[in-house]
Amino acid sequence: MAGQTFAELQAKFRDIWPLVTLRSIGDVKRTVVVVHSISFEVPDQLIPVFPAYEERFLCLVLSLLRAPASRVVYVTSSPIHERVVDYYFSLVPELDTPQARSRFETVSLVDGRNEPLSRKLLARPGAIERIARLIGEPEVGMIIPFCMTADEVGVAEALQLPIYGCDPALGWLGSKTGSRRVFTDEDVRHPVGLDIAGSDELTDAIGELQARCPAARTAVLKLDQGVSGLGNALIDLDRAATGVREAIQLEDEEIDVEQYLALLDEQGGIVEELVAGDDFRSPSVQLRMSPAGQVDIMSTHDQILGGAHGLTYFGCHFPADPDYAPAIAAEGLKVGRRLAREGVIGRGAVDFATVRRDDRWESYALEINLRCGGTTHPLFALTSLTDGVYDPLAGEWRTRLGDIKHYAATDHLDSPAYRSLTPDDLLDVVEQNGLGWDGEREVGVVLHMVSAIAVAGRIGLTAIGDTLDEARRRYYDVKAAVDAAAQSS
């Protein structure tokens, strides 16, 4: 008997949504399958950390298992180190019991090749059958992905479960050109710019941009499907008058200009003015669109940028500065409502450029991300450990006890020296220096991507404090301890 199609599975999602939401409790038997698959093209420098990326939703498991009848099936390419699982359960002692652990199952394909997890899973009918047996016959079930492609659709149909993500046919809404179209339609302020189909349109587009923004000295060129800022490049508009290729400064240092322009011919993209001001910030608004069409503002963040020209995402502070957090939340809500009307469900975010001009903050929407991102799992960590909620009007996070919390987070705490350490070494360092989680005060550090330390010399962490200064201090305490351990090994 043929199973239900993706459209049919998603159509039922609205009816069961109240029973599968992450904060639901009670005796409803529900099963959540986590498939954190990086299913889009990414730069080569990210490949070594892919297996560790798949572990970033482990904090989410703690929230899911708080409901006593919930079960989680967590799928990865490579096996999760047993001590890493122990570490996460130890963060919430009341869940560190045989009963809670029995409701958490891991499925590893033992395949670390550079290929999306979802695609590898679809190529293994035995693994699909095993996951189906672990799912059993719950009253409700769902899949939580990282992003949505045809592979994720295939996994949903193979497991006959709805997936908390939108139809890939709506992916255009998260492209650079689609984002600008949404901003224009919904009257959300954004930089002056133009869509371009390929490199042959670049010279004319630059000329038109200069005519519309005569004061602009720099433009930003973006590949339509670029991620993490590595698809961006700066264009020196003065130098462009004598040769566009010579005026391009790439953010991704692993490729050259000709390779970049070939990608532009393949994908298309946009060119727009570089927003500048006395004080520049890069905040974002995290959205949640439910199958019922409800839109929630989950968070605001101030993003930390780095890289060759300061265009690459490196980490974040939470929440965003209260001087502009409510304003960007309101603009983000406009975008979220449009996405919901289009049929988008799942997590998303809107990135902004915010500058101070004449003692006033002005924000410009830059792009929409229709997927989880670098700000998603730190928020999962905070939610799992403090059971709080973000108030977008106040720009504050308050725990269930009413305490305000902040965090500093990154997936890019790295050094070549860290490769001398193993995951066990890292966990020992945190434990021996008292740098872990203080459940009584609800402050401390949560590690992510522990498995990347030996292979890539990189880890991630979320440092939570009562103030941002405390959160940053805890972040640097971990960095100092890991630096010292690496130097002495």
Side-chain angles (χ1 to χ4, degrees):
M1 181 178 176
Q4 293 182 309
T5 65
F6 176 71
E8 291 169 335
L9 291 167
Q10 297 300 87
K12 296 196 313 183
F13 212 168
R14 178 180 181 127
D15 295 334
I16 66 172
W17 177 248
L19 300 176
V20 297
T21 53
L22 302 187
R23 298 179 66 86
S24 68
I25 58 175
D27 297 326
V28 175
K29 293 181 179 180
R30 62 177 183 172
T31 298
V32 177
V33 180
V34 180
V35 186
H36 188 296
S37 176
I38 310 294
S39 295
F40 44 74
E41 295 296 327
V42 296
D44 290 343
Q45 55 264 49
L46 297 182
I47 292 172
V49 297
F50 267 17
Y53 271 129
E54 295 172 6
E55 298 174 9
R56 292 192 300 179
F57 284 0
L58 282 170
C59 261
L60 171 64
V61 171
L62 302 176
S63 287
L64 297 170
L65 292 181
R66 286 185 186 274
S70 289
R71 300 177 69 245
V72 178
V73 180
Y74 202 102
V75 186
T76 57
S77 294
S78 301
I80 304 174
H81 191 315
E82 184 175 348
R83 191 173 171 194
V84 171
V85 175
D86 292 341
Y87 165 74
Y88 280 99
F89 273 98
S90 73
L91 298 173
V92 184
E94 60 266 32
L95 285 179
D96 198 6
T97 66
Q99 194 277 337
R101 286 185 175 235
S102 71
R103 295 186 281 114
F104 175 62
E105 298 277 359
T106 60
V107 174
S108 171
L109 305 182
V110 196
D111 180 355
R113 292 176 304 143
N114 175 30
E115 188 175 337
L117 172 60
S118 293
R119 192 172 305 162
K120 289 186 282 192
L121 180 58
L122 289 172
R124 291 169 170 83
I128 291 287
E129 290 175 8
R130 181 174 180 227
I131 295 169
R133 289 194 300 270
L134 291 171
I135 293 169
E137 296 184 4
E139 294 175 64
V140 292
M142 64 184 291
I143 301 168
I144 295 182
F146 173 76
C147 63
M148 287 298 297
T149 69
D151 291 328
E152 279 68 33
V153 170
V155 171
E157 292 181 336
L159 295 175
Q160 286 294 284
L161 287 179
I163 189 166
Y164 188 44
C166 70
D167 189 325
L170 297 174
W172 66 270
L173 292 159
S175 66
K176 304 301 184 290
T177 53
S179 296
R180 288 185 58 85
R181 176 175 163 187
V182 171
F183 299 150
T184 300
D185 291 348
E186 303 306 319
D187 194 27
V188 174
R189 181 163 55 183
H190 56 286
V192 175
L194 300 99
D195 298 352
I196 52 175
S199 59
D200 59 336
E201 297 183 5
L202 188 51
T203 299
D204 289 344
I206 289 173
E208 184 172 344
L209 180 65
Q210 289 179 297
R212 294 167 61 181
C213 298
R217 301 271 65 83
T218 307
V220 184
L221 177 61
K222 300 180 181 180
L223 300 177
D224 209 26
Q225 304 299 328
V227 296
S228 298
L230 289 171
N232 297 349
L234 295 182
I235 299 179
D236 183 323
L237 294 178
D238 292 329
R239 291 185 63 189
T242 57
V244 172
R245 281 169 167 76
E246 293 72 19
I248 295 175
Q249 304 169 52
L250 301 180
E251 183 69 5
D252 187 350
E253 298 179 292
E254 300 295 319
I255 63 174
D256 59 32
V257 170
E258 292 306 318
Q259 290 171 309
Y260 182 89
L261 293 176
L263 290 171
L264 183 64
D265 289 334
E266 181 181 316
Q267 299 179 20
I270 63 172
V271 60
E272 62 187 19
E273 63 171 327
L274 177 69
V275 176
D278 297 334
D279 189 358
F280 176 86
R281 307 283 180 84
S282 178
S284 67
V285 176
Q286 191 174 164
L287 306 167
R288 180 176 69 182
M289 283 69 63
S290 82
Q294 178 180 339
V295 180
D296 296 306
I297 303 295
M298 304 305 295
S299 67
T300 60
H301 290 83
D302 277 319
Q303 299 180 110
I304 308 302
L305 302 181
H309 303 290
L311 302 175
T312 303
Y313 175 82
F314 269 56
C316 63
H317 293 158
F318 170 85
D321 191 313
D323 286 346
Y324 50 76
I328 62 172
E331 295 298 278
L333 186 60
K334 291 182 188 177
V335 174
R337 287 173 173 165
R338 167 64 181 274
L339 297 177
R341 291 196 301 272
E342 295 281 354
V344 171
I345 66 173
R347 294 269 176 167
V350 184
D351 291 342
F352 290 85
T354 298
V355 293
R356 195 202 303 268
R357 292 172 178 158
D358 299 324
D359 294 324
R360 186 168 61 92
W361 289 104
E362 297 180 2
S363 294
Y364 298 79
L366 298 181
E367 62 187 56
I368 301 167
N369 292 307
L370 285 187
R371 54 177 171 81
C372 298
T375 61
T376 307
H377 54 286
L379 187 66
F380 283 160
L382 183 66
T383 303
S384 298
L385 298 178
T386 71
D387 196 26
V389 67
Y390 180 68
D391 180 347
L393 294 179
E396 296 176 342
W397 174 276
R398 289 188 180 271
T399 72
R400 63 190 181 284
L401 300 177
D403 298 323
I404 292 177
K405 298 295 177 183
H406 299 254
Y407 62 69
T410 187
D411 286 340
H412 291 266
L413 183 56
D414 53 11
S415 166
Y418 291 176
R419 292 191 178 97
S420 65
L421 302 175
T422 68
D424 286 307
D425 295 330
L426 174 62
L427 294 171
D428 285 344
V429 167
V430 170
E431 182 178 339
Q432 292 166 3
N433 288 275
L435 298 174
W437 177 248
D438 182 341
E440 185 174 340
R441 283 195 57 213
E442 296 189 330
V443 296
V445 172
V446 181
L447 299 174
H448 312 289
M449 298 174 57
V450 174
S451 299
I453 192 163
V455 67
R458 179 189 293 187
I459 61 171
L461 63 87
T462 299
I464 300 170
D466 293 330
T467 65
L468 181 57
D469 284 343
E470 180 187 4
R472 296 182 69 185
R473 175 179 60 77
R474 292 179 178 277
Y475 173 97
Y476 284 110
D477 285 347
V478 172
K479 183 181 186 303
V482 179
D483 285 346
Q487 290 169 6
S488 64
S489 63

